[in-house]
Amino acid sequence: MTFREKIDCATLGVIALAFGWYAIVFPWGMRGTSALAAQGGLLLVVVIAMTLALTIAAIAMAVHRPRDANAPVDERDRDITRKAATRAYYVLIVGATCCFAVGYGVGDLAAVLNALLGTVVLAELVRLASQVAAYRLGE
Amino acid sequence: MARLPFSNDIRTLRFLAGEMTQGDLGDRVGVTRQTIAAIEQGKYSPSLEVAFRIARVFDKPLEAVFQWSGD
């Protein structure tokens, strides 16, 4: 398993866990500015936790296999990255369009922002899962 | 994932070249060991440049390394 593949797996797991926790603890019944405040607070916790977890994971993997960590990106890495980003882009565009279309009807800023956040997270999960699958199974 | 329409003899050629490792071949070609492994297993279609570089390492023509097996 390459360093990039390990980082992709770790990021996939950390994002799924962090935003899974966000979805569980967010007070979905709340509306207006209090919902926005809860959103901001929870996002701050999620971002800090993700940054810490991924920094520690990257350092641990680099210390364990320094040669892999310093390996330059080759054409397969670039190819896998490009194809995964294309798949994620479609998810992002469709999701964002749906969010804006539905957002006009809902009228609650926090709900629209949560939907947009969900779209971004889903697109990122698709990108990372595509990369992991491509590294494991081939394109 | 779709199978590639060509096979290769990289594994045999590595063995004949003094049991060269995938890592050694990768270093000489300019790709990672994992990319050489993926090419050998038919999971990745290399660029023409990398295909030629692999053939040059073994001092063989391209068709001695890669064989077309599609329609």
Side-chain angles (χ1 to χ4, degrees), chain A residues 62-133:
Chain A
V63 167
H64 185 242
R65 286 280 183 89
R67 191 169 182 264
D68 278 0
N70 292 321
V73 175
D74 69 10
E75 62 170 40
R76 179 167 167 257
D77 295 320
R78 282 192 291 271
D79 194 37
I80 286 172
T81 303
R82 184 176 50 76
K83 285 177 180 167
T86 305
R87 289 183 193 116
Y89 177 77
Y90 288 125
V91 174
L92 194 62
I93 289 297
V94 171
T97 306
C98 291
C99 287
F100 285 119
V102 174
Y104 279 112
V106 174
D108 182 37
L109 183 60
V112 176
L113 288 177
N114 266 334
L116 277 172
L117 181 65
T119 300
V120 172
V121 170
L122 183 64
E124 191 62 2
L125 290 176
V126 166
R127 185 182 72 79
L128 292 163
S130 295
Q131 287 185 185
V132 170

